[in-house]
Amino acid sequence: MALYFYPFIIFLLTALFFDGRFGRIPNWLTVSGAVLGLLFHVVLNGINGLIFSVIGLAAGFVLMLILYLFKAIGAGDVKLFGAIGAFSGIEFTLYGIMYSVIYAGLIGLVLLILRRDFFRRMLGVFYKILELKSSSTKEEVLEEYKKKEALTFPFMYAVIPGMITTYYYVIL
């Protein structure tokens, strides 16, 4: 295991604690994680390490920013993946995003099924689509639906298995 993975694991577990307990990932954690990742690679590999780390940081941040703009994740998750990129580089980060999103979808599906309202929600979506087609105030209908029907969970619940899967397939 590469030396930088030990502080990386501590970083991820700390983010899991804060996201699971408080529903947010603090800025001091994401910023210090990004700085630590950058410093680690600069010290180990000089300018090549800096380039490796900055490209990873940018990739993680920008891709997750797109999901944030669609309101799929919170701002803390955007900064988290920037820090993940600073620690692990672009390849690990891209695979980590992919696996985390897959796990998030699976967790969301399981939550819907366990709450036994999957079919009610799907019927609600169908009715909202019909309402949108006939309504002149589409924005109001969508905003009302988003506020009432949101099913959320801490994204870190998907990130941890996503990172483990990424480590297994990319590193090992």
Side-chain angles (χ1 to χ4, degrees):
M1 181 181 294
L3 188 60
Y4 67 87
F5 266 98
Y6 295 108
F8 179 60
I9 291 168
I10 293 168
F11 167 74
L12 287 176
L13 292 176
T14 306
L16 173 64
F17 169 77
F18 278 100
D19 201 17
R21 173 107 173 156
F22 303 109
R24 61 184 306 272
I25 301 169
N27 287 337
W28 64 262
L29 179 63
T30 56
V31 170
S32 62
V35 169
L36 184 61
L38 287 164
L39 286 175
F40 214 96
H41 288 290
V42 167
V43 168
L44 290 179
N45 299 311
I47 190 72
N48 289 335
L50 178 64
I51 292 168
F52 172 85
S53 194
V54 167
I55 290 173
L57 187 149
F61 187 86
V62 169
L63 284 175
M64 296 306 278
L65 182 61
I66 293 167
L67 290 177
Y68 172 75
L69 293 174
F70 285 105
K71 302 199 184 314
I73 60 167
D77 300 315
V78 175
K79 295 174 274 186
L80 172 83
F81 270 91
I84 287 172
F87 266 110
S88 60
I90 189 169
E91 181 182 16
F92 190 93
T93 303
L94 293 178
Y95 278 107
I97 290 170
M98 178 187 69
Y99 287 125
S100 296
V101 168
I102 290 169
Y103 280 112
L106 292 173
I107 291 169
L109 185 60
V110 168
L111 287 176
L112 282 174
I113 291 169
L114 289 177
R115 290 179 52 187
R116 298 173 193 230
D117 61 351
F118 178 76
F119 294 108
R120 181 187 62 80
R121 283 180 179 266
M122 291 301 108
L123 191 59
V125 168
F126 177 73
Y127 285 131
K128 284 298 174 189
I129 291 171
L130 291 178
E131 186 178 341
L132 281 171
K133 288 184 122 193
S134 63
S135 175
S136 62
T137 58
K138 293 177 181 15
E139 291 79 20
E140 289 178 19
V141 172
L142 287 173
E143 285 302 315
E144 173 191 333
Y145 184 71
K146 286 179 187 177
K147 289 178 186 173
K148 187 171 63 173
E149 296 294 324
L151 174 66
T152 62
F153 60 90
F155 189 54
M156 283 302 298
Y157 293 173
V159 171
I160 295 298
M163 293 296 115
I164 293 169
T165 304
T166 302
Y167 181 80
Y168 180 77
Y169 285 113
V170 174
I171 303 297
L172 293 182

